[in-house]
Amino acid sequence: MGQFVLQADSTEFTWDRNSDTGITIQTNSDSKSFTVKKNGILYSSSLISNNLLIDYGTIYLSNDFLKKLDDGENDITLILKEGNLDIIVNVTDNQTEIPVEDNQITAKETSFEWDKSDFIGIAVNTNSKSKNVAIAKDGEFFASDDDRGVYITFGRVGITAKILKKLDVGENTLTLTFDDGTLDITVNVTDKKHASDTAEITADKTEFTWDRNSSDSIVINTNSKSESISVRQSGKIFSTSDKENISISDGVVTMKPEFLNKLNDGENELKLIFDDGSITVKINVTGSVENSKNPSVSSRNSDSSSNIGILPATGNEGLTVGAVIALLSAGLSGILLSTKRKREK
């Protein structure tokens, strides 16, 4: 397993002293508490301050905590069990006023990529001065800052993984409605973990003929990205990838004679199962098992037939048997005649 990397949806924030809300940071931390350092010096801890909270990776710095910071940029380090997270909080002191209606809301980014396996959500940094936000999908209400999972602080809208998991896989258009305008964003949701369930595997060829006397392998070129393969026949596991029987490399499946000799004579339907899908192939096995193991049987039979002699082909089984009897009778008569002549002499 790779080394854990502590992540956050944003590390730079602007906060005004007139605000009655704090700052929310989404992380992939599993910590139950955290400590705060300011300019490298221990400053506070969630264990002793109710103004600092962490819940399932979501960190909240309250407005009461932020009021103690200096105007301008403040370098803050959040110390969690997985590591340190450095953030910058720029504190301002301006009166917040809602602009006139029909204000055009803009954002630094309006298109996002998010996978269902991600632990943190997305952050939309807008120019809105609103303290409230509602989210609609396809014209229907989807979520708002009243829900646990959507936050807004000085135009920065945080949408957690909990909310994003409700979106469909593919492109989703969301409308963010503020007190001072609206903004459309696009969230392209993927599900890489389960992508293999619907992957379509193709091959250059799926029907083959193989003879038991052959030393050749069967090679199948596929589009699979899998590093392993298993074979099912009649619904049961028949074989798995190894160096001696069947293997896969860069999508190329190699079935070796050691594997192919285990198949039945005639047609064999096999299901090849990859990590990212499956295909069905048919292999017609020719050549008798006995002949492939005892190739000298037919030659021994032909040698023994030469002791009797070659019989003419008559096309009639009865005539052939009669011819055999006639030859045997003639041979026996010749032996008896020879013995009688010797006795007369």
Side-chain angles (χ1 to χ4, degrees):
M1 294 182 63
Q3 186 177 359
F4 180 87
V5 178
L6 185 60
Q7 297 176 326
D9 61 345
S10 183
T11 56
E12 295 187 14
F13 306 88
T14 298
W15 183 83
D16 191 86
R17 293 194 180 281
N18 300 292
S19 174
D20 56 2
T21 61
I23 289 176
T24 302
I25 310 168
Q26 297 178 57
T27 76
N28 59 342
S29 172
D30 206 20
S31 298
K32 303 299 181 183
S33 62
F34 65 98
T35 301
V36 178
K37 280 187 175 182
K38 180 187 174 187
N39 299 324
I41 301 173
L42 285 175
Y43 192 70
S44 186
S45 172
S46 64
L47 295 174
I48 60 174
S49 174
N50 293 328
N51 296 318
L52 303 173
L53 300 172
I54 182 169
D55 185 26
Y56 293 99
T58 300
I59 297 173
Y60 181 71
L61 310 179
S62 75
N63 58 327
D64 289 333
F65 169 81
L66 296 170
K67 286 178 180 178
K68 299 176 183 178
L69 300 180
D70 301 324
D71 289 345
E73 286 192 359
N74 294 264
D75 294 324
I76 304 295
T77 300
L78 308 180
I79 304 173
L80 303 111
K81 72 175 184 179
E82 296 90 353
N84 296 345
L85 179 66
D86 293 324
I87 66 172
I88 296 175
V89 180
N90 183 34
V91 178
T92 60
D93 191 5
N94 301 314
Q95 290 295 326
T96 302
E97 295 181 359
I98 302 294
V100 295
E101 293 183 1
D102 299 328
N103 178 55
Q104 184 177 2
I105 304 300
T106 60
K108 291 182 179 179
E109 186 178 2
T110 58
S111 181
F112 301 86
E113 295 280 340
W114 187 82
D115 191 80
K116 285 185 177 290
S117 63
D118 292 343
F119 290 102
I120 61 175
I122 62 174
V124 188
N125 294 298
T126 77
N127 64 337
S128 172
K129 303 300 182 182
S130 175
K131 297 181 180 179
N132 305 290
V133 63
I135 304 174
K137 181 180 183 294
D138 300 327
E140 303 253 340
F141 175 82
F142 184 69
S144 75
D145 60 298
D146 291 332
D147 301 322
R148 189 176 181 182
V150 178
Y151 308 92
I152 181 170
T153 306
F154 283 94
R156 177 180 171 274
V157 179
I159 308 175
T160 65
K162 176 184 176 182
I163 300 297
L164 295 172
K165 284 181 184 292
K166 299 177 183 179
L167 295 175
D168 300 324
V169 173
E171 190 172 282
N172 297 265
T173 299
L174 304 179
T175 300
L176 277 56
T177 302
F178 305 91
D179 295 333
D180 50 353
T182 61
L183 174 72
D184 287 338
I185 66 170
T186 301
V187 182
N188 185 33
V189 178
T190 58
D191 192 4
K192 298 175 183 177
K193 184 177 180 181
H194 299 99
S196 60
D197 296 342
T198 56
E200 182 179 354
I201 302 300
T202 58
D204 60 340
K205 188 177 179 182
T206 57
E207 294 188 9
F208 304 86
T209 297
W210 185 81
D211 191 274
R212 292 195 185 277
N213 297 307
S214 174
S215 60
D216 294 335
S217 300
I218 287 180
V219 177
I220 309 173
N221 295 292
T222 76
N223 63 335
S224 173
K225 304 298 182 183
S226 177
E227 296 181 356
S228 63
I229 183 176
S230 63
V231 180
R232 284 185 177 269
Q233 188 176 40
S234 301
K236 299 179 180 180
I237 289 291
F238 183 75
S239 180
T240 55
S241 52
D242 56 43
K243 294 182 179 180
E244 298 180 355
N245 292 278
I246 183 171
S247 61
I248 181 171
S249 177
D250 295 329
V252 179
V253 178
T254 303
M255 298 180 177
K256 300 184 179 179
E258 290 79 4
F259 167 82
L260 297 168
N261 261 316
K262 298 175 184 177
L263 299 177
N264 300 323
D265 288 344
E267 186 175 280
N268 295 262
E269 186 172 286
L270 307 176
K271 187 174 184 179
L272 309 184
I273 302 175
F274 308 89
D275 294 335
D276 49 358
S278 63
I279 57 171
T280 299
V281 299
K282 294 180 180 179
I283 301 177
N284 184 36
V285 178
T286 61
S288 170
V289 177
E290 287 76 13
N291 287 345
S292 64
K293 294 181 179 179
N294 302 292
S296 61
V297 172
S298 58
S299 62
R300 288 202 303 269
N301 291 338
S302 61
D303 291 342
S304 60
S305 64
S306 63
N307 294 331
I308 297 177
I310 300 176
L311 302 180
T314 63
N316 186 299
E317 187 177 350
L319 292 175
T320 303
V321 173
V324 172
I325 295 174
L327 287 172
L328 292 175
S329 298
L332 181 60
S333 298
I335 293 173
L336 293 174
L337 180 60
S338 175
T339 302
K340 181 178 179 181
R341 288 177 178 175
K342 289 180 179 180
R343 288 178 178 175
E344 290 177 351
K345 292 180 180 180

